[in-house]
Amino acid sequence: MTVEVTPRGPWWRDAVLYQIYPRSYGDTNGDGIGDLPGITARLDHLEWLGIDAIWISPITVSPNADWGYDVADYCDVDPALGTLADLDALVAAAAARDIEVVLDLVPNHTSSQHPWFVDARASRDAAHRDWYVWADPAPDGGPPNNWVSSFGGPAWTLDPTTGQYYLHNFLPEQPDLNWWNDAVRDEFERILRFWFDRGVAGFRIDVAHMVVKDRELRDNPPTDENDDWIDQIRGQRPVYNASRPEVHDVYRQWRTIARRYEPERLLLGETHVQNLATLASFYGHDDELGLAFNFPFLFSSFEASPLRALVDATTAALPHGAWPVWTLSNHDVSRAPTRWCEGDIARVRCALLLLLTLRGTPVLYYGDELGLPDTDVPFDRLVDPVSMRYYGVHNRDAARTPMPWSADAGAGFTTAGVEPWLPFGDLAAYNVTDQRADAGSTLQFTRDLLALRREHDDLHADSSDDAGSFDDVWMYRRGERMLVVLHLGEGRVSIPLPGPGPGRVLLDTQRTRDGDAVSQSVEIEGWRGLLVALD
Ligand code: GLC
Ligand code: CA
């Protein structure tokens, strides 16, 4: 038995995070758009559920070319979502429930309507010209290099007024900032402090790996069949427009700032990289990001052996002391109940058991607690330019629809009769009210699992050991006494349990074996999971 004598480390190591897409959580003024008071009004749900922190997708002023990810003012709240006073009220109300509030920061690019860019494009000698990345046309008049936008097409747009191209790794309405300019760095440090001083517990950092680009703007090399599929689709390896060595200076500086606060502020990177060594580099030597999202995990298939290999490889790749972070869903991908589980609730619960017991910090996406699948959003209801461009292939709006609080008109999300900004899904099939009333629901399962996490330190212990996985069976021990048994496949299997003594099922994904005693082995059918306490 090991006794913990060292401090447990920063607060997010033991925390369960919960991502909220603010336009889709709760609408308090009947305009069909979720708002900050709508989140405050739902803190009871979050406290009851048992999460520790919320991360809210951008709430800052935005013309919404990319729904908040094109920022026109970094230090104010978008009027559709509320006011700074609403944010302060939310932070205070959350603190009263021991819930931290993490916001979303977009440092890679601004909105083309941000006053900095409006100034920058006015003339070549404008005060903010060098805050963005400008380059002369190639000799044939085309773009300065071969970089492609993450959303398709060239990453450059010609500005007719000044005769140069500006860089945008996303939409033309999202010009990239020039992080070689110290004025940009200073300004973002000021922005960090502005929010940290208000009690904001940290930031999720949008496209954290891309912020600094090659100073010489060199062409990216072409891909071959060994490259990652996303890069193959784009036809080039993102060598010069992402994961540049100099990006680490930015996060070292930000971590120094984050550490000056009590409690320390979280820097959670959207590190959208495929290579685990590159991912690991964003933790630095415990002096860069506190958590770096693991996209290979998110994009894996839901099968025991590749997932297990990926989790092991992540553990091996991360530097000493670095803590992993896992998520099943977010606002950019199809929800896990659809993408991983084909809508099958038995599988969804296995996915939740996995997410909430892996060694690391789990991030739930709003609706995950219900097992909420994607909503079928028809073409004429799409609002996301990426979903429109890739219709039939990639639909981000399907994962951004309003939280179903009830099956009533308005779904408990907005006023009855009001058309929400994105359509509701199948309200009768998934809603909070009905699942709260049903002890066997996925919502109650998630809540019970979160309660067990709080009760048993073993479930956020530093250790995680394979306990005899084979085929579709994934079995790992957390801490001294907790055993997670997952059967991610078909058919019935008999699984030998480790350890000498008997144990007890703390939680069964199907809920019929909760409390059962187990001894040398368990029989378990397909797509079922057990959390077992060993004696
Ligand atoms: C990130 C965001 C995504 C956005 C993009 C550009 O990937 O999660 O929603 O479109 O960055 O800001
Ligand atoms: Ca509203």
Side-chain angles (χ1 to χ4, degrees):
M1 172 84 187
T2 44
V3 179
E4 200 106 30
V5 283
T6 47
R8 295 195 65 98
W11 62 269
W12 57 81
R13 280 184 70 117
D14 294 321
V16 175
L17 272 62
Y18 180 102
Q19 182 192 353
I20 292 179
Y21 199 71
R23 297 178 68 89
S24 285
Y25 210 59
D27 169 26
T28 53
N29 63 349
D31 61 0
I33 300 167
D35 41 54
L36 292 181
I39 298 174
T40 308
R42 296 302 181 182
L43 287 171
D44 285 346
H45 169 75
L46 296 168
E47 184 181 23
W48 173 85
L49 182 61
I51 56 96
D52 302 290
I54 53 176
W55 145 38
I56 315 176
S57 280
I59 60 163
T60 37
V61 178
S62 175
N64 290 325
D66 188 17
W67 299 106
Y69 287 95
D70 47 320
V71 179
D73 182 348
Y74 285 91
C75 293
D76 205 354
V77 172
D78 191 275
L81 304 179
T83 62
L84 270 179
D86 291 331
L87 191 266
D88 291 341
L90 168 58
V91 171
R97 293 167 167 85
D98 277 332
I99 294 174
E100 303 284 358
V101 177
V102 173
L103 297 182
D104 205 315
L105 184 67
V106 188
N108 182 70
H109 47 265
T110 69
S111 160
S112 54
Q113 293 184 39
H114 195 295
W116 303 335
F117 191 70
V118 173
D119 176 52
R121 77 188 321 178
S123 79
R124 288 200 185 200
D125 52 18
H128 293 90
R129 182 72 175 181
D130 193 39
W131 283 43
Y132 294 86
V133 185
W134 297 94
D136 289 332
D140 67 353
N145 70 17
N146 73 350
W147 297 356
V148 289
S149 155
S150 301
F151 291 161
W156 297 92
T157 290
L158 182 65
D159 175 53
T161 316
T162 58
Q164 282 189 308
Y165 280 86
Y166 67 88
L167 178 68
H168 53 85
N169 274 291
F170 295 89
L171 299 173
E173 293 88 349
Q174 295 170 298
D176 278 36
L177 283 160
N178 173 18
W179 279 83
W180 290 99
N181 183 339
D182 282 340
V184 170
R185 295 187 184 219
D186 292 348
E187 180 61 21
F188 272 85
E189 289 174 21
R190 196 184 69 77
I191 292 165
L192 285 181
R193 285 193 296 263
F194 175 85
W195 295 103
F196 290 168
D197 288 345
R198 299 190 98 87
V200 167
F203 278 109
R204 177 265 192 185
I205 303 160
D206 192 58
V207 287
H209 58 299
M210 272 197 136
V211 166
V212 180
K213 282 81 184 179
D214 180 44
R215 201 169 199 166
E216 296 166 39
L217 305 176
R218 282 170 282 188
D219 276 351
N220 278 328
T223 44
D224 59 36
E225 69 283 359
N226 298 320
D227 282 295
D228 182 75
W229 61 272
I230 298 181
D231 296 337
Q232 284 195 44
I233 289 171
R234 294 183 188 139
Q236 57 184 244
R237 228 173 268 159
V239 172
Y240 292 113
N241 63 338
S243 306
R244 300 304 301 159
E246 298 87 358
V247 74
H248 300 286
D249 299 335
V250 174
Y251 299 131
R252 271 192 291 271
Q253 184 57 28
W254 288 12
R255 189 67 182 272
T256 309
I257 296 171
R259 284 207 156 116
R260 287 193 199 121
Y261 288 82
E262 175 53 45
E264 182 180 346
R265 302 311 198 236
L266 167 63
L267 302 175
L268 162 60
E270 188 209 8
T271 38
H272 205 313
V273 297
Q274 312 308 322
N275 181 293
L276 292 175
T278 310
L279 175 68
S281 74
F282 286 95
Y283 287 87
H285 303 281
D286 193 25
D287 59 354
E288 296 188 34
L289 301 180
L291 296 173
F293 269 126
N294 191 318
F295 281 86
F297 176 81
L298 188 73
F299 289 131
S300 170
S301 56
F302 190 34
E303 292 174 278
S305 109
L307 269 177
R308 204 163 61 219
L310 186 80
V311 169
D312 288 349
T314 300
T315 309
L318 257 45
H320 178 72
W323 193 241
V325 54
W326 312 104
T327 192
L328 303 176
S329 303
N330 67 37
H331 63 291
D332 292 327
V333 298
S334 165
R335 288 174 175 274
T338 300
R339 196 182 76 254
W340 265 12
C341 307
E342 296 157 29
D344 173 14
I345 216 67
R347 296 181 194 209
V348 173
R349 293 194 190 176
C350 290
L352 286 166
L353 180 59
L354 173 68
L355 175 74
L356 295 170
T357 57
L358 279 176
R359 172 181 170 275
T361 295
V363 183
L364 288 161
Y365 186 50
Y366 80 101
D368 277 354
E369 69 270 46
L370 304 172
L372 188 69
D374 286 347
T375 297
D376 188 19
V377 181
F379 187 81
D380 63 355
R381 286 299 306 270
L382 292 179
V383 295
D384 167 37
V386 177
S387 305
M388 292 177 203
R389 181 173 184 143
Y390 296 104
Y391 186 65
V393 179
H394 186 37
N395 188 340
R396 303 197 298 182
D397 283 332
R400 299 176 176 182
T401 57
M403 180 74 168
W405 296 101
S406 76
D408 302 338
F413 166 75
T414 187
T415 314
V418 170
E419 191 58 40
W421 79 296
L422 278 172
F424 296 126
D426 183 349
L427 296 178
Y430 298 89
N431 71 76
V432 174
T433 307
D434 288 349
Q435 290 204 22
R436 259 187 94 141
D438 174 4
S441 67
T442 302
L443 177 61
Q444 296 284 357
F445 169 79
T446 308
R447 179 175 186 249
D448 290 343
L449 183 48
L450 290 173
L452 289 166
R453 256 187 85 98
R454 285 189 176 212
E455 194 182 323
H456 298 281
D457 280 352
D458 271 4
L459 287 173
H460 22 111
D462 205 353
S463 65
S464 182
D465 300 296
D466 191 83
S469 303
F470 60 93
D471 302 335
D472 295 329
V473 174
W474 190 358
M475 193 158 56
Y476 48 93
R477 194 194 274 249
R478 296 300 321 282
E480 294 287 314
R481 292 183 51 237
M482 290 295 145
L483 181 71
V484 179
V485 184
L486 284 161
H487 182 195
L488 309 181
E490 309 293 339
R492 206 180 164 83
V493 286
S494 174
I495 304 177
L497 296 183
R504 190 166 52 87
V505 175
L506 290 181
L507 190 70
D508 166 18
T509 54
Q510 299 300 315
R511 305 311 300 263
T512 57
R513 291 163 80 170
D514 291 357
D516 282 8
V518 289
S519 53
Q520 263 76 36
S521 69
V522 284
E523 287 272 318
I524 184 170
E525 54 270 74
W527 296 108
R528 187 164 189 170
L530 303 173
L531 176 62
V532 174
L534 298 170
D535 288 341

